[in-house]
Amino acid sequence: MNRSEYLEAGKIVNTHGVRGDVKSECWCDYIEVMTEDLENLYLKKGSEYQALAITKASPFKGMVLLHFAGVDTFEDANALRGQILYAKREDLPLDEGACFIADMIGLPVIDADTGKVYGKLKSVTDAAAGQLYEIKTENGIVLLPVVAEFVKEVDLDKGILITPIPGFFDEI
């Protein structure tokens, strides 16, 4: 499987002040990834990635305030507004046995008991009670709570093995 060297980490949504700081959404599992773990973030320019050295990062009202080397004015920061920030896969912390959501998208969703393929994983959504797998089936979209009772295994080579309760995949 061809996995990208860079993963989406967030999006610059605004400037902050007049000294080149930007306010960014954090798309990582936890905000400390952007405020403590990374030294660089990247912008995608065509097929190339341009490094932005982080000189300052701090949490701010559910977002991240960032200052990058060479981005020292309001105008510099404003030019970055709306840009997607990427991180190198190798720079991102990953717990033992865990995988990146980006690597799961498109995997088949398979009944662990019968081997029946229900569909493919379209996205993973954060909901109030936890994460949901959005599964594209032949008949539409099914939302499956990501809990141990339903999700038995995620195997990047085989797929996502689940044990759904009756009714989850009935005709939509």
Side-chain angles (χ1 to χ4, degrees), residues 4 17 55 63 72 95 98 117 133 147 158 164:
S4 174
T55 60
M63 302 274 216
D72 297 315
D95 293 336
V117 177
Y133 284 167
V147 294
K158 295 178 187 170

Side-chain angles (χ1 to χ4, degrees), residues 4-6 43-50:
S4 174
E5 178 183 0
Y6 296 89
L43 296 176
K44 187 174 184 181
K45 303 288 184 183
S47 62
E48 302 292 317
Y49 290 85
Q50 171 190 347

Side-chain angles (χ1 to χ4, degrees), residues 15-21 73-74 77:
T15 59
H16 186 79
V18 296
R19 296 196 173 114
D21 291 349
T73 67
F74 170 81

Side-chain angles (χ1 to χ4, degrees), residues 104-116:
M104 295 170 54
I105 303 302
L107 287 178
V109 178
I110 305 164
D111 190 300
D113 296 326
T114 68
K116 177 180 179 177

Side-chain angles (χ1 to χ4, degrees), residues 124-125 127 129-135 142-152 160 162-165 168-169:
V124 179
T125 307
Q131 290 185 324
L132 296 171
Y133 284 167
E134 186 175 340
I135 302 164
V142 172
L143 297 176
L144 180 77
V146 181
V147 294
E149 291 81 14
F150 300 139
V151 180
K152 297 305 173 192
I160 301 168
I162 65 169
T163 54
I165 58 175
F168 260 75
F169 292 94

Side-chain angles (χ1 to χ4, degrees), residues 33 35 60 71 78 81 95 123 149-150 162:
V33 171
T35 60
F60 179 75
V71 179
N78 196 44
R81 190 189 311 219
D95 293 336
S123 69
E149 291 81 14
F150 300 139
I162 65 169

